Amino acid sequence: MAKTAGALGELTQAVLELARGQGRLITAMSDVAREQRITNLIVRSQITADPVEKARLMSEASRRMDTSRRRSPLDSF
């Protein structure tokens, strides 16, 4: 019985660690996607010849850079 309880405790800890790891991975993937969108806006602003469109794209990129990112509740500060 003690072995079963010990194994169950270890399994529980492993599942909790897996959940924490997945939370960190989700946050990292969200950060990468956010940075890719910002980079895309900046690149598009460099390509366009229209000064109004260039300003709009840079403004949007700047706005996105200034907004705080969402954090996973499992992230440490």
Side-chain angles (χ1 to χ4, degrees):
M1 192 61 119
K3 285 185 178 182
T4 303
L8 189 56
E10 288 179 30
L11 178 61
T12 301
Q13 289 303 315
V15 169
L16 289 171
E17 182 57 34
L18 177 62
R20 283 192 281 280
Q22 286 179 330
R24 288 188 296 270
L25 177 62
I26 289 167
T27 300
M29 290 173 63
S30 173
D31 289 347
V32 168
R34 177 180 177 267
E35 291 171 11
Q36 286 177 334
R37 287 190 297 271
I38 292 168
T39 301
N40 185 37
L41 288 167
I42 293 170
V43 169
R44 285 174 48 204
S45 77
Q46 298 300 310
I47 294 171
T48 187
D50 180 13
V52 173
E53 180 67 3
K54 182 180 291 233
R56 186 193 69 76
L57 291 167
M58 285 306 294
S59 174
E60 177 68 15
S62 178
R63 184 186 65 76
R64 288 184 185 215
M65 284 188 280
D66 291 342
T67 58
S68 61
R69 70 176 185 91
R70 292 183 295 184
R71 296 182 64 88
S72 167
L74 302 173
D75 280 352
S76 59
F77 290 94

Coordinates of all heavy atoms in Angstrom, one line a residue:
M1 N 0.8 -1.2 0.0 CA 0.0 0.0 0.0 C 0.9 1.3 0.0 O 0.5 2.2 -0.7 CB -0.9 0.0 1.2 CG -2.0 1.0 1.2 SD -3.1 0.8 -0.2 CE -4.6 0.6 0.6
A2 N 2.0 1.2 0.7 CA 2.9 2.4 0.8 C 3.5 2.7 -0.5 O 3.7 3.8 -0.9 CB 3.9 2.2 1.9
K3 N 3.9 1.6 -1.2 CA 4.5 1.8 -2.6 C 3.5 2.4 -3.5 O 3.8 3.2 -4.3 CB 4.9 0.4 -3.1 CG 6.2 -0.1 -2.5 CD 6.6 -1.4 -3.2 CE 7.9 -1.9 -2.6 NZ 8.4 -3.1 -3.3
T4 N 2.2 2.0 -3.5 CA 1.2 2.5 -4.3 C 1.0 4.0 -4.0 O 0.9 4.8 -4.9 CB -0.1 1.8 -4.1 OG1 0.1 0.4 -4.4 CG2 -1.2 2.3 -5.1
A5 N 0.9 4.4 -2.7 CA 0.8 5.8 -2.4 C 2.0 6.6 -2.8 O 1.8 7.7 -3.3 CB 0.6 5.9 -0.9
G6 N 3.1 6.0 -2.7 CA 4.3 6.8 -3.1 C 4.4 7.0 -4.6 O 4.7 8.0 -5.1
A7 N 4.0 5.9 -5.4 CA 3.9 6.0 -6.8 C 2.9 7.0 -7.3 O 3.1 7.8 -8.2 CB 3.7 4.7 -7.4
L8 N 1.7 7.0 -6.6 CA 0.7 8.0 -6.9 C 1.1 9.4 -6.6 O 0.8 10.3 -7.4 CB -0.6 7.6 -6.1 CG -1.8 8.4 -6.5 CD1 -2.2 8.2 -7.9 CD2 -3.0 7.9 -5.6
G9 N 1.8 9.6 -5.5 CA 2.4 10.9 -5.2 C 3.4 11.4 -6.3 O 3.3 12.6 -6.7
E10 N 4.2 10.5 -6.7 CA 5.2 10.8 -7.8 C 4.5 11.2 -9.1 O 4.9 12.1 -9.8 CB 6.2 9.7 -8.0 CG 7.2 9.6 -6.8 CD 8.1 8.4 -7.1 OE1 8.4 8.1 -8.2 OE2 8.6 7.8 -6.1
L11 N 3.5 10.4 -9.4 CA 2.7 10.6 -10.6 C 2.0 12.0 -10.6 O 2.0 12.7 -11.6 CB 1.7 9.5 -10.9 CG 0.8 9.7 -12.1 CD1 1.6 9.7 -13.4 CD2 -0.3 8.6 -12.1
T12 N 1.5 12.3 -9.4 CA 0.8 13.6 -9.3 C 1.8 14.7 -9.5 O 1.5 15.7 -10.2 CB 0.2 13.7 -7.9 OG1 -0.8 12.6 -7.7 CG2 -0.5 15.0 -7.6
Q13 N 3.0 14.6 -8.9 CA 4.0 15.7 -9.1 C 4.4 15.8 -10.5 O 4.6 16.9 -11.0 CB 5.2 15.3 -8.2 CG 5.0 15.5 -6.7 CD 4.5 16.9 -6.4 OE1 5.0 17.9 -6.8 NE2 3.4 17.0 -5.6
A14 N 4.6 14.7 -11.2 CA 5.0 14.7 -12.6 C 3.9 15.4 -13.5 O 4.2 16.2 -14.4 CB 5.2 13.3 -13.1
V15 N 2.6 15.1 -13.2 CA 1.5 15.7 -13.9 C 1.5 17.2 -13.7 O 1.3 18.1 -14.6 CB 0.2 15.1 -13.6 CG1 -1.0 15.9 -14.2 CG2 0.1 13.7 -14.1
L16 N 1.7 17.6 -12.4 CA 1.8 19.1 -12.1 C 2.9 19.8 -12.8 O 2.8 20.9 -13.3 CB 1.9 19.3 -10.5 CG 0.6 18.9 -9.7 CD1 0.9 18.9 -8.2 CD2 -0.5 19.9 -10.1
E17 N 4.1 19.1 -12.8 CA 5.2 19.7 -13.5 C 5.0 19.8 -15.0 O 5.3 20.8 -15.6 CB 6.5 18.9 -13.2 CG 7.7 19.5 -13.9 CD 8.0 20.9 -13.5 OE1 7.8 21.3 -12.3 OE2 8.6 21.7 -14.3
L18 N 4.3 18.8 -15.6 CA 4.0 18.9 -17.0 C 3.0 20.0 -17.3 O 3.2 20.8 -18.2 CB 3.3 17.6 -17.4 CG 2.8 17.5 -18.9 CD1 4.0 17.6 -19.8 CD2 2.1 16.2 -19.1
A19 N 2.0 20.3 -16.4 CA 1.1 21.4 -16.6 C 1.8 22.7 -16.5 O 1.5 23.6 -17.3 CB 0.0 21.3 -15.5
R20 N 2.8 22.8 -15.5 CA 3.5 24.1 -15.4 C 4.4 24.3 -16.7 O 4.4 25.4 -17.2 CB 4.4 24.1 -14.2 CG 3.7 24.3 -12.9 CD 4.7 24.6 -11.8 NE 5.3 23.4 -11.2 CZ 4.7 22.5 -10.3 NH1 3.5 22.8 -9.9 NH2 5.3 21.5 -9.9
G21 N 5.0 23.2 -17.2 CA 5.8 23.3 -18.4 C 4.9 23.7 -19.6 O 5.3 24.6 -20.5
Q22 N 3.7 23.2 -19.7 CA 2.8 23.5 -20.8 C 2.4 25.0 -20.7 O 2.3 25.7 -21.7 CB 1.6 22.6 -20.8 CG 2.0 21.2 -21.3 CD 0.8 20.3 -21.3 OE1 -0.1 20.4 -20.5 NE2 0.8 19.3 -22.2
G23 N 2.2 25.5 -19.5 CA 1.8 26.9 -19.3 C 2.9 27.8 -19.8 O 2.6 28.8 -20.4
R24 N 4.1 27.4 -19.5 CA 5.3 28.3 -19.9 C 5.4 28.2 -21.4 O 5.7 29.2 -22.1 CB 6.6 27.8 -19.2 CG 6.6 28.2 -17.7 CD 8.0 27.8 -17.1 NE 8.3 26.4 -17.1 CZ 8.0 25.6 -16.2 NH1 7.3 26.0 -15.1 NH2 8.3 24.3 -16.3
L25 N 5.2 27.0 -22.0 CA 5.3 26.9 -23.5 C 4.2 27.7 -24.2 O 4.5 28.4 -25.2 CB 5.1 25.4 -23.9 CG 5.2 25.1 -25.4 CD1 6.5 25.5 -26.0 CD2 4.9 23.7 -25.6
I26 N 3.0 27.7 -23.6 CA 1.9 28.5 -24.2 C 2.3 30.0 -24.2 O 2.1 30.7 -25.2 CB 0.6 28.2 -23.5 CG1 0.1 26.8 -23.9 CG2 -0.5 29.2 -23.9 CD1 -1.0 26.3 -23.1
T27 N 2.8 30.4 -23.1 CA 3.2 31.8 -22.9 C 4.3 32.2 -23.9 O 4.2 33.2 -24.6 CB 3.6 32.1 -21.5 OG1 2.6 31.9 -20.6 CG2 4.1 33.6 -21.4
A28 N 5.3 31.3 -24.1 CA 6.4 31.5 -25.0 C 5.9 31.6 -26.4 O 6.3 32.5 -27.2 CB 7.4 30.5 -24.8
M29 N 5.0 30.7 -26.8 CA 4.5 30.7 -28.1 C 3.6 31.9 -28.4 O 3.7 32.5 -29.5 CB 3.6 29.4 -28.4 CG 4.4 28.2 -28.4 SD 3.5 26.6 -28.5 CE 2.6 26.8 -30.0
S30 N 2.9 32.4 -27.4 CA 2.1 33.6 -27.6 C 3.1 34.8 -27.8 O 2.8 35.7 -28.6 CB 1.3 33.8 -26.3 OG 0.6 35.1 -26.4
D31 N 4.2 34.8 -27.0 CA 5.1 35.9 -27.2 C 5.8 35.9 -28.6 O 6.0 37.0 -29.2 CB 6.3 35.8 -26.1 CG 5.8 36.1 -24.7 OD1 4.7 36.7 -24.6 OD2 6.5 35.8 -23.8
V32 N 6.1 34.7 -29.1 CA 6.7 34.6 -30.4 C 5.7 35.1 -31.5 O 6.1 35.9 -32.4 CB 7.2 33.2 -30.7 CG1 7.5 33.0 -32.2 CG2 8.3 32.8 -29.8
A33 N 4.5 34.7 -31.4 CA 3.5 35.1 -32.3 C 3.3 36.7 -32.3 O 3.2 37.3 -33.3 CB 2.1 34.5 -32.1
R34 N 3.3 37.2 -31.1 CA 3.1 38.7 -30.9 C 4.3 39.4 -31.6 O 4.2 40.4 -32.3 CB 3.1 39.0 -29.4 CG 3.0 40.5 -29.1 CD 2.9 40.7 -27.6 NE 3.0 42.1 -27.2 CZ 4.1 42.7 -26.9 NH1 5.2 42.1 -26.9 NH2 4.0 44.0 -26.7
E35 N 5.5 38.9 -31.3 CA 6.7 39.5 -31.9 C 6.7 39.4 -33.4 O 7.2 40.3 -34.1 CB 8.0 38.9 -31.3 CG 8.1 39.3 -29.8 CD 9.2 38.6 -29.1 OE1 10.0 37.9 -29.8 OE2 9.3 38.7 -27.9
Q36 N 6.3 38.3 -33.9 CA 6.2 38.1 -35.4 C 5.2 39.1 -36.0 O 5.5 39.6 -37.1 CB 5.8 36.7 -35.7 CG 6.9 35.7 -35.5 CD 6.4 34.2 -35.8 OE1 5.3 33.9 -35.7 NE2 7.4 33.4 -36.1
R37 N 4.1 39.3 -35.4 CA 3.1 40.3 -35.9 C 3.7 41.7 -35.9 O 3.6 42.4 -36.9 CB 1.8 40.3 -35.1 CG 1.0 39.0 -35.3 CD -0.4 39.1 -34.7 NE -0.4 39.2 -33.2 CZ -0.4 38.2 -32.4 NH1 -0.4 37.0 -32.9 NH2 -0.3 38.4 -31.1
I38 N 4.4 42.0 -34.9 CA 5.1 43.4 -34.8 C 6.1 43.5 -35.9 O 6.2 44.5 -36.6 CB 5.7 43.6 -33.4 CG1 4.6 43.8 -32.4 CG2 6.6 44.9 -33.4 CD1 5.0 43.7 -30.9
T39 N 7.0 42.4 -36.0 CA 8.0 42.5 -37.1 C 7.4 42.6 -38.4 O 7.9 43.3 -39.3 CB 8.9 41.2 -37.0 OG1 9.5 41.1 -35.7 CG2 9.9 41.2 -38.0
N40 N 6.3 41.9 -38.7 CA 5.6 41.9 -40.0 C 5.1 43.4 -40.2 O 5.3 43.9 -41.4 CB 4.4 41.0 -40.0 CG 3.7 40.9 -41.3 OD1 4.4 41.0 -42.3 ND2 2.4 40.8 -41.3
L41 N 4.6 44.0 -39.2 CA 4.1 45.4 -39.4 C 5.3 46.3 -39.8 O 5.2 47.2 -40.7 CB 3.4 45.9 -38.2 CG 2.1 45.4 -37.9 CD1 1.6 45.7 -36.5 CD2 1.0 45.9 -38.9
I42 N 6.4 46.1 -39.1 CA 7.6 47.0 -39.4 C 8.1 46.7 -40.8 O 8.5 47.7 -41.5 CB 8.7 46.7 -38.3 CG1 8.2 47.2 -36.9 CG2 10.0 47.4 -38.7 CD1 9.0 46.8 -35.7
V43 N 8.2 45.5 -41.2 CA 8.7 45.1 -42.5 C 7.8 45.7 -43.6 O 8.3 46.3 -44.5 CB 8.9 43.6 -42.7 CG1 9.1 43.2 -44.1 CG2 10.0 43.1 -41.8
R44 N 6.5 45.5 -43.4 CA 5.6 46.1 -44.3 C 5.7 47.6 -44.4 O 5.6 48.2 -45.5 CB 4.1 45.7 -43.9 CG 3.8 44.3 -44.3 CD 2.5 43.8 -43.7 NE 1.4 44.7 -44.1 CZ 0.3 44.8 -43.4 NH1 0.0 44.1 -42.3 NH2 -0.7 45.7 -43.8
S45 N 6.0 48.3 -43.3 CA 6.1 49.7 -43.4 C 7.4 50.1 -44.1 O 7.4 51.2 -44.7 CB 6.2 50.3 -41.9 OG 7.5 50.1 -41.4
Q46 N 8.4 49.3 -44.1 CA 9.6 49.6 -44.9 C 9.4 49.3 -46.4 O 10.1 50.0 -47.2 CB 10.8 48.7 -44.4 CG 11.1 48.9 -42.9 CD 11.5 50.3 -42.6 OE1 12.4 50.9 -43.3 NE2 10.9 50.9 -41.6
I47 N 8.5 48.4 -46.7 CA 8.3 48.1 -48.1 C 7.4 49.1 -48.8 O 7.6 49.5 -50.0 CB 7.7 46.7 -48.3 CG1 8.7 45.7 -47.8 CG2 7.2 46.4 -49.7 CD1 8.2 44.3 -47.7
T48 N 6.4 49.6 -48.1 CA 5.4 50.4 -48.8 C 6.0 51.8 -49.2 O 6.8 52.4 -48.5 CB 4.1 50.6 -47.9 OG1 3.1 51.3 -48.6 CG2 4.5 51.4 -46.6
A49 N 5.5 52.3 -50.3 CA 5.9 53.7 -50.7 C 5.0 54.7 -50.2 O 5.4 55.9 -50.2 CB 6.0 53.7 -52.2
D50 N 3.8 54.4 -49.8 CA 2.8 55.3 -49.4 C 3.1 55.8 -48.0 O 3.1 55.1 -47.0 CB 1.4 54.7 -49.4 CG 0.3 55.6 -49.0 OD1 0.5 56.8 -48.9 OD2 -0.8 55.1 -48.7
P51 N 3.4 57.1 -47.8 CA 3.8 57.6 -46.5 C 2.7 57.5 -45.5 O 2.9 57.3 -44.3 CB 4.1 59.1 -46.8 CG 3.7 59.4 -48.1 CD 3.5 58.2 -48.9
V52 N 1.4 57.6 -45.9 CA 0.3 57.5 -45.0 C 0.2 56.0 -44.4 O 0.1 55.8 -43.2 CB -1.0 57.9 -45.6 CG1 -2.2 57.6 -44.7 CG2 -1.0 59.4 -46.0
E53 N 0.3 55.1 -45.3 CA 0.3 53.7 -45.0 C 1.5 53.3 -44.1 O 1.4 52.6 -43.1 CB 0.3 52.8 -46.2 CG 0.2 51.3 -45.9 CD -1.1 50.8 -45.3 OE1 -2.0 51.6 -45.1 OE2 -1.1 49.6 -45.0
K54 N 2.7 53.9 -44.4 CA 3.9 53.7 -43.7 C 3.7 54.2 -42.2 O 4.0 53.5 -41.3 CB 5.1 54.4 -44.3 CG 6.4 54.2 -43.6 CD 7.5 54.9 -44.3 CE 7.8 54.3 -45.6 NZ 9.1 53.9 -45.9
A55 N 3.1 55.3 -42.1 CA 2.9 55.9 -40.7 C 1.9 55.1 -40.0 O 2.0 54.8 -38.8 CB 2.4 57.3 -40.8
R56 N 0.8 54.6 -40.7 CA -0.2 53.8 -40.0 C 0.4 52.5 -39.5 O 0.2 52.0 -38.4 CB -1.3 53.5 -41.0 CG -2.5 52.7 -40.3 CD -3.5 52.2 -41.3 NE -3.0 51.1 -42.1 CZ -2.8 49.8 -41.7 NH1 -3.1 49.5 -40.4 NH2 -2.3 48.9 -42.5
L57 N 1.2 51.8 -40.3 CA 1.8 50.5 -40.0 C 2.8 50.7 -38.8 O 2.8 49.9 -37.8 CB 2.6 49.9 -41.2 CG 1.7 49.4 -42.3 CD1 2.5 49.1 -43.5 CD2 0.9 48.2 -41.8
M58 N 3.6 51.8 -38.8 CA 4.6 52.0 -37.7 C 3.8 52.4 -36.4 O 4.2 52.0 -35.3 CB 5.6 53.1 -38.1 CG 6.6 52.7 -39.1 SD 7.5 51.2 -38.5 CE 8.4 51.9 -37.1
S59 N 2.7 53.1 -36.6 CA 1.9 53.4 -35.4 C 1.3 52.2 -34.8 O 1.3 52.0 -33.5 CB 0.8 54.4 -35.8 OG -0.1 54.6 -34.7
E60 N 0.8 51.3 -35.6 CA 0.3 50.0 -35.1 C 1.4 49.2 -34.5 O 1.2 48.6 -33.4 CB -0.4 49.3 -36.3 CG -0.9 47.9 -35.9 CD -2.1 47.9 -35.0 OE1 -2.7 49.0 -34.8 OE2 -2.4 46.9 -34.4
A61 N 2.5 49.1 -35.1 CA 3.6 48.3 -34.5 C 4.0 48.9 -33.1 O 4.3 48.2 -32.2 CB 4.8 48.3 -35.4
S62 N 4.1 50.2 -33.1 CA 4.5 50.9 -31.8 C 3.4 50.6 -30.7 O 3.8 50.4 -29.6 CB 4.6 52.4 -32.1 OG 4.9 53.1 -30.9
R63 N 2.2 50.7 -31.1 CA 1.1 50.5 -30.2 C 1.2 49.0 -29.6 O 1.1 48.8 -28.4 CB -0.3 50.7 -30.8 CG -1.5 50.5 -29.9 CD -2.8 50.6 -30.6 NE -3.0 49.5 -31.5 CZ -3.3 48.2 -31.1 NH1 -3.5 47.9 -29.9 NH2 -3.5 47.3 -32.0
R64 N 1.4 48.1 -30.5 CA 1.5 46.7 -30.1 C 2.8 46.5 -29.2 O 2.7 45.6 -28.3 CB 1.6 45.8 -31.3 CG 0.2 45.7 -32.0 CD 0.3 44.7 -33.1 NE -1.0 44.7 -33.8 CZ -1.5 43.6 -34.3 NH1 -1.0 42.4 -34.2 NH2 -2.7 43.7 -35.0
M65 N 3.8 47.2 -29.5 CA 5.0 47.0 -28.6 C 4.8 47.6 -27.2 O 5.3 47.1 -26.3 CB 6.2 47.7 -29.3 CG 6.8 46.9 -30.4 SD 8.4 47.6 -31.0 CE 7.8 48.9 -32.0
D66 N 4.0 48.6 -27.2 CA 3.8 49.3 -25.9 C 2.8 48.6 -25.0 O 2.8 48.8 -23.8 CB 3.3 50.7 -26.1 CG 4.4 51.6 -26.7 OD1 5.6 51.2 -26.6 OD2 4.1 52.7 -27.2
T67 N 1.9 47.7 -25.6 CA 0.9 47.0 -24.8 C 1.6 45.9 -24.0 O 2.6 45.2 -24.6 CB -0.2 46.4 -25.6 OG1 0.3 45.5 -26.6 CG2 -1.0 47.5 -26.3
S68 N 1.2 45.6 -22.8 CA 1.8 44.6 -22.0 C 1.4 43.2 -22.6 O 0.3 43.1 -23.1 CB 1.4 44.7 -20.6 OG 0.0 44.6 -20.4
R69 N 2.2 42.2 -22.5 CA 1.9 40.9 -22.9 C 1.1 40.2 -21.9 O 1.2 40.5 -20.7 CB 3.1 40.1 -23.3 CG 4.0 39.7 -22.1 CD 5.2 38.9 -22.6 NE 6.0 38.4 -21.5 CZ 5.7 37.2 -21.0 NH1 4.8 36.4 -21.4 NH2 6.5 36.8 -20.0
R70 N 0.3 39.2 -22.3 CA -0.4 38.3 -21.4 C 0.6 37.3 -20.8 O 1.4 36.8 -21.5 CB -1.5 37.6 -22.1 CG -2.6 38.5 -22.5 CD -3.7 37.7 -23.1 NE -3.2 37.1 -24.4 CZ -4.0 36.4 -25.2 NH1 -5.2 36.2 -24.9 NH2 -3.4 35.9 -26.3
R71 N 0.5 37.1 -19.5 CA 1.3 36.2 -18.8 C 0.5 35.0 -18.3 O -0.6 35.1 -17.9 CB 2.0 36.8 -17.6 CG 2.9 38.0 -18.0 CD 3.6 38.5 -16.7 NE 4.5 37.5 -16.1 CZ 5.8 37.3 -16.4 NH1 6.3 38.1 -17.3 NH2 6.5 36.4 -15.8
S72 N 1.2 33.9 -18.3 CA 0.5 32.7 -17.8 C 0.5 32.8 -16.2 O 1.5 33.3 -15.7 CB 1.3 31.4 -18.2 OG 0.9 30.3 -17.4
P73 N -0.5 32.4 -15.6 CA -0.5 32.4 -14.1 C 0.6 31.5 -13.5 O 1.0 31.7 -12.4 CB -1.9 31.9 -13.7 CG -2.6 31.5 -15.0 CD -1.7 31.9 -16.1
L74 N 1.1 30.6 -14.3 CA 2.2 29.8 -13.8 C 3.6 30.4 -14.0 O 4.6 29.8 -13.5 CB 2.2 28.4 -14.6 CG 0.8 27.7 -14.5 CD1 0.8 26.5 -15.4 CD2 0.6 27.3 -13.0
D75 N 3.7 31.5 -14.7 CA 5.0 32.2 -14.9 C 5.5 32.8 -13.5 O 4.7 33.3 -12.8 CB 4.9 33.3 -15.9 CG 4.9 32.8 -17.3 OD1 5.2 31.6 -17.5 OD2 4.7 33.6 -18.2
S76 N 6.8 32.7 -13.3 CA 7.3 33.4 -12.2 C 7.7 34.8 -12.6 O 8.0 35.1 -13.8 CB 8.5 32.7 -11.7 OG 9.5 32.6 -12.7
F77 N 7.6 35.8 -11.7 CA 7.9 37.1 -12.0 C 9.3 37.4 -11.8 O 10.1 37.8 -11.5 CB 7.0 38.1 -11.2 CG 5.6 38.1 -11.6 CD1 4.7 37.3 -11.0 CD2 5.2 38.8 -12.7 CE1 3.4 37.2 -11.4 CE2 3.9 38.8 -13.1 CZ 3.0 38.0 -12.5

